[in-house]
Amino acid sequence: RLYRYRIVNRRAPLAVEAGHAWHIPYALDAEKMHEAAQVLLGKHDFSTFRASLCQAQSPVKTLTRLSVARAGEEIDIIAEARSFLHHQVRNMVGTLLEVGRGHWEPAHVRTILESLERSNAGPTAPARGLCLQWVRYDFTRTYDPDPREIARLTGERPFEPEEPSQYIDPDT
């Protein structure tokens, strides 16, 4: 899964982007945010960034990409992993924002991560800046369900040909 979080970093309020980005009117250091983001890469216990209502069986996730890049007034944060905890991306963005504001040094993010305490991290970023960009599926795995199992699960009667002619013989 790949998520993109958009921040518009300017004093003027949002017009066209309203509802599709987080407006931050004060200066942010995107380079420091990116430096802090690199601390979160890899396999970690992300309990610090987990919502209280998260139902995931394990807080251990592998973050394969977390980048922060500025293009003019826009800051894009890209997060990629096989799966995420509930609100994980938004909570990481809120933490990176605190680094960008100068409230924390990038290295402090490791301390926050290792604390496993949600209260030590930054605020939850609003949903309006978050967008699921794509989901990658592994098509190398195949699943050929048994029609009888489908019938059992759905309560429907399984397909049973009435005449042998309904079978297709691949050798003919």
Side-chain angles (χ1 to χ4, degrees):
R1 295 170 192 243
L2 186 133
Y3 284 96
R4 175 183 179 211
Y5 196 96
R6 289 184 60 223
I7 296 173
V8 176
N9 190 206
R10 66 177 186 223
R11 289 187 352 156
L14 301 181
V16 176
E17 301 99 339
H20 301 286
W22 189 12
H23 175 239
I24 302 295
Y26 42 81
L28 292 175
D29 186 336
E31 289 180 13
K32 281 195 173 184
M33 291 169 71
H34 181 75
E35 183 183 339
Q38 302 319 290
V39 170
L40 300 174
L41 290 177
K43 186 174 183 177
H44 302 286
D45 181 333
F46 282 99
S47 293
T48 302
F49 302 104
R50 182 180 193 164
S52 60
L53 298 177
C54 181
Q55 296 179 5
Q57 291 182 359
S58 171
V60 176
K61 301 293 175 189
T62 302
L63 193 60
T64 56
R65 179 176 170 193
L66 188 59
S67 62
V68 181
R70 177 184 286 277
E73 298 174 332
E74 189 169 318
I75 297 175
D76 280 338
I77 300 172
I78 304 294
E80 183 177 1
R82 185 171 178 200
S83 64
F84 290 94
L85 299 170
H86 189 58
H87 290 180
Q88 180 181 346
V89 174
R90 291 172 52 201
N91 292 335
M92 290 187 305
V93 168
T95 298
L96 295 175
L97 184 87
E98 294 301 309
V99 172
R101 292 179 73 174
H103 291 175
W104 295 327
E105 287 300 313
H108 184 61
V109 172
R110 182 170 311 283
T111 305
I112 292 168
L113 175 66
E114 292 172 353
S115 76
L116 306 179
E117 290 292 329
R118 175 68 193 104
S119 60
N120 292 334
T124 303
R128 65 181 166 264
L130 185 65
C131 180
L132 176 64
Q133 295 293 114
W134 53 261
V135 177
R136 182 179 302 154
Y137 292 97
D138 181 4
F139 290 109
T140 60
R141 294 184 191 170
T142 59
Y143 175 65
D144 190 14
D146 179 354
R148 292 171 296 211
E149 182 65 10
I150 292 173
R152 186 185 70 76
L153 293 171
T154 63
E156 296 178 7
R157 194 170 147 248
F159 172 73
E160 295 175 11
E162 296 175 11
E163 301 174 20
S165 63
Q166 288 180 296
Y167 288 104
I168 298 173
D169 184 356
D171 297 328
T172 59

